[in-house]
Amino acid sequence: MFSSGKTPANFATRTVRQVSFLAAILCSCSSPKKDDPTNDVKPIAAKDKKPPATPVGQVRFPEVDALVADFMRDEDPAGAIVVVGRNGTVLHNIGYGLADVDAAAVMPVEAKLPIASITKVFTAAAIHTLANKGHLSLDDRVGHWIPSWPKDSDLRLRHLLEHTAGLSEAGDWLLDDQIARKDILTRLLELKVQAAPGERFQYGNTGYILLGFVIESVSTLTYSEYLQRTFFAPLGIQVSECANTKGELKSVPGHQKDEAGPMRVTAPSTKHISSAGGLCATGLDILRFFDALRNEKLFPKSSLLAMTQAAKLNDGTIVSYGQGFALGKLGAQEFIAHSGDMLGYQSQVANYQPDGLTVVVLMNTSFAGAPLLAERVARALLKIPIDDDVVVDSAMLDQYAGRYKIPRFGELIISRKDNLLMLQLAGGPEFQLLAKDQQSFVVDGNESMKLKFVLVDGVVEAVAFDQAGMSERAEKLKP
């Protein structure tokens, strides 16, 4: 377990704005296994010694079931929903563990949970739908659709979609339900510009909040109404804004890992970040939406290709993010994916091609390892093993050791112990790094977290982190 279980005062704010995904992944690395067998969490019900019979309407894939049972025992989240499909066919759709630890209520597979930043996939798809109908162009200036935006700004809709807008992230006021929507836009206009449009990639929420205003300006509907009419009603899925789903969430409250086990927490308001991270959905809803994207039920294949085209910065640098999708490769399979993190909940979805496999994981526990579990399920079904470790040159290990700075989060330390590298973040425990080649590593116990050291003229300049296509770069600090 990475944290002590105590929640810092600004934790909820950081998770809503833009918590470093590195912290989220390290929090999900395997904790020491508990010796008390009563701590084991089995599929569906915590006390069952055998997997229960599959309820009517659910689908169970034995290999996935066994893998998830092991994960639930080792990582100890409150509960999880795991949905797996392939080319429109549902292979697995099961709830595990508890919906509410205090009430000892089992996790229903039909539970609707906050999906946090997976919302960005829906927002990007909405923008492309409007573009496909000729209502807007991705190269439109933001000021064309948001009249109060500076007219001399060269910021385009494309920049917002690709996280290359160069805008700062919003502050604690995003959590205040009492602020009027019109005042949210006023405050966004006051944010500091950090870089010229297209100059650098900086994942965050600000751009997608602005896209929500654009959708409303173009369609003359609220963000929620537009998605309901365009996607949810035609597809027959029950996705909705979490701000309008509070009653349903009472039965599946958020949790946070604690030394004694998962404990209930109160999730922050998502009222003002609806288009960046404010949707709630079932696992099956997300699977059906991805199937609709792949099967051209929402727009032509050309629109999906545009969404999954890696963004290019002004200097030609290619980043591992498209427009609403993180991009990556697992073995011979290319994938489009997105994760979601907020206080109390975590989620992950990934679609692999050419196989057609889609994996969805929803959890009602912060930083509980949803991306890790999703990748393990994918590896098992796609028959992709983890590569054997390699031996790294001793001189290179010395170069890699040092202090690194992560934007918006803090400092991490990479140290050498004999022939091993260890990673430590924010005063937490150390995690061993396993070498995959002379510059590439994964975190022991979490193969979905990948690191690659960046060398310039033979000297280590930074380390780049990647998890399910979401990337972060930490610059090496001078001694």
Side-chain angles (χ1 to χ4, degrees):
M1 190 179 300
F2 177 72
S3 66
S4 65
K6 298 180 180 179
T7 306
N10 67 337
F11 183 82
T13 303
R14 288 193 290 109
T15 51
V16 169
R17 289 208 312 265
Q18 171 52 40
V19 66
S20 169
F21 84 98
L22 172 62
I25 300 308
L26 291 185
C27 285
S28 70
C29 287
S30 297
S31 306
K33 294 180 176 61
K34 302 175 180 61
D35 295 327
D36 184 356
T38 62
N39 286 330
D40 289 358
V41 181
K42 299 295 185 181
I44 305 300
K47 296 181 180 180
D48 288 344
K49 293 184 179 181
K50 296 180 180 179
T54 304
V56 176
Q58 297 187 27
V59 183
R60 187 183 297 276
F61 194 96
E63 187 173 3
V64 174
D65 215 35
L67 190 154
V68 177
D70 288 344
F71 182 91
M72 296 291 288
R73 180 191 63 239
D74 295 343
E75 301 300 334
D76 198 24
I81 296 170
V82 179
V83 182
V84 181
R86 177 179 277 124
N87 296 323
T89 300
V90 179
L91 303 177
H92 188 86
N93 183 29
I94 299 292
Y96 297 83
L98 301 175
D100 184 341
V101 295
D102 291 349
V106 298
M107 175 67 81
V109 73
E110 69 275 11
K112 185 184 289 187
L113 299 181
I115 60 174
S117 286
I118 291 179
T119 299
K120 292 179 174 69
V121 177
F122 291 84
T123 300
I127 291 292
H128 274 272
T129 300
L130 290 168
N132 185 59
K133 293 180 178 179
H135 298 319
L136 57 74
S137 167
L138 302 188
D139 292 316
D140 286 345
R141 294 176 186 268
V142 172
H144 180 75
W145 296 110
I146 302 179
S148 54
W149 200 262
K151 299 302 180 185
D152 59 347
S153 171
D154 196 38
L155 184 62
R156 314 284 174 144
L157 300 184
R158 185 181 303 279
H159 296 130
L160 301 182
L161 286 165
E162 297 173 347
H163 298 289
T164 58
L167 301 174
S168 303
E169 282 297 283
D172 298 353
W173 48 267
L174 268 180
L175 305 177
D176 188 351
D177 277 350
Q178 303 306 310
I179 299 178
R181 183 158 174 76
K182 62 180 179 62
D183 294 330
I184 293 295
L185 184 55
T186 299
R187 296 198 183 197
L188 290 175
L189 286 165
E190 297 171 352
L191 293 177
K192 181 181 178 181
V193 176
Q194 295 185 327
E199 184 175 299
R200 70 185 187 189
F201 174 85
Q202 189 73 63
Y203 180 85
N205 289 326
T206 302
Y208 275 74
I209 295 174
L210 288 172
L211 287 172
F213 281 100
V214 172
I215 291 169
E216 294 183 343
S217 176
V218 178
S219 69
T220 69
L221 300 170
T222 67
Y223 174 76
S224 180
E225 289 171 341
Y226 182 77
L227 265 59
Q228 178 63 31
R229 294 188 188 185
T230 307
F231 299 148
F232 307 154
L235 295 176
I237 59 179
Q238 304 301 312
V239 183
S240 61
E241 285 191 87
C242 296
N244 301 324
T245 319
K246 291 182 179 179
E248 296 179 56
L249 289 180
K250 287 182 179 179
S251 62
V252 193
H255 298 77
Q256 179 181 320
K257 284 189 176 184
D258 184 77
E259 292 176 357
M263 59 177 285
R264 284 183 57 166
V265 294
T266 300
S269 169
T270 58
K271 177 181 177 180
H272 296 314
I273 61 167
S274 292
S275 54
L279 293 182
C280 281
T282 69
L284 198 56
D285 287 335
I286 298 174
L287 178 67
R288 287 172 174 163
F289 187 75
F290 266 61
D291 284 344
L293 287 173
R294 283 292 185 189
N295 296 329
E296 302 183 53
K297 292 182 179 179
L298 302 178
F299 42 55
K301 186 177 181 179
S302 58
S303 294
L304 180 60
L305 289 175
M307 291 179 68
T308 57
Q309 180 71 36
K312 182 184 294 187
L313 301 183
N314 296 340
D315 64 2
T317 300
I318 303 296
V319 298
S320 58
Y321 196 95
Q323 297 176 358
F325 284 118
L327 312 173
K329 196 169 184 178
L330 186 68
Q333 300 286 325
E334 294 186 349
F335 65 76
I336 56 175
H338 218 294
S339 58
D341 290 287
M342 63 182 292
L343 181 61
Y345 302 92
Q346 189 177 44
S347 54
Q348 176 74 19
V349 57
N351 172 263
Y352 299 86
Q353 295 294 330
D355 181 86
L357 185 75
T358 300
V359 180
V360 182
V361 175
L362 305 181
M363 291 182 172
N364 59 337
T365 308
S366 305
F367 303 150
L372 174 60
L373 177 56
E375 180 169 320
R376 286 184 178 176
V377 169
R379 282 184 180 276
L381 297 185
L382 296 171
K383 310 300 182 186
I384 301 174
I386 300 174
D387 297 333
D388 294 334
D389 300 335
V390 299
V391 178
V392 180
D393 182 78
S394 178
M396 294 308 302
L397 292 176
D398 288 336
Q399 272 214 64
Y400 295 152
R403 297 181 302 118
Y404 295 78
K405 178 72 173 180
I406 305 175
R408 309 177 312 284
F409 192 80
E411 187 176 303
L412 65 85
I413 299 172
I414 294 178
S415 59
R416 178 177 178 178
K417 290 187 175 180
D418 297 324
N419 290 322
L420 302 175
L421 284 183
M422 309 297 292
L423 172 66
Q424 185 178 29
L425 178 68
E430 292 183 321
F431 296 95
Q432 183 180 336
L433 300 181
L434 304 178
K436 297 304 166 188
D437 60 37
Q438 293 298 307
Q439 290 180 236
S440 303
F441 296 76
V442 297
V443 176
D444 187 19
N446 190 347
E447 58 273 14
S448 67
M449 169 56 79
K450 303 173 178 63
L451 300 79
K452 185 170 185 177
F453 290 92
V454 180
L455 279 68
V456 177
D457 296 329
V459 178
V460 178
E461 184 177 88
V463 60
F465 295 87
D466 182 272
Q467 182 271 320
M470 300 297 290
S471 58
E472 189 80 79
R473 177 183 168 107
E475 302 294 330
K476 188 173 185 182
L477 301 176
K478 294 182 179 180

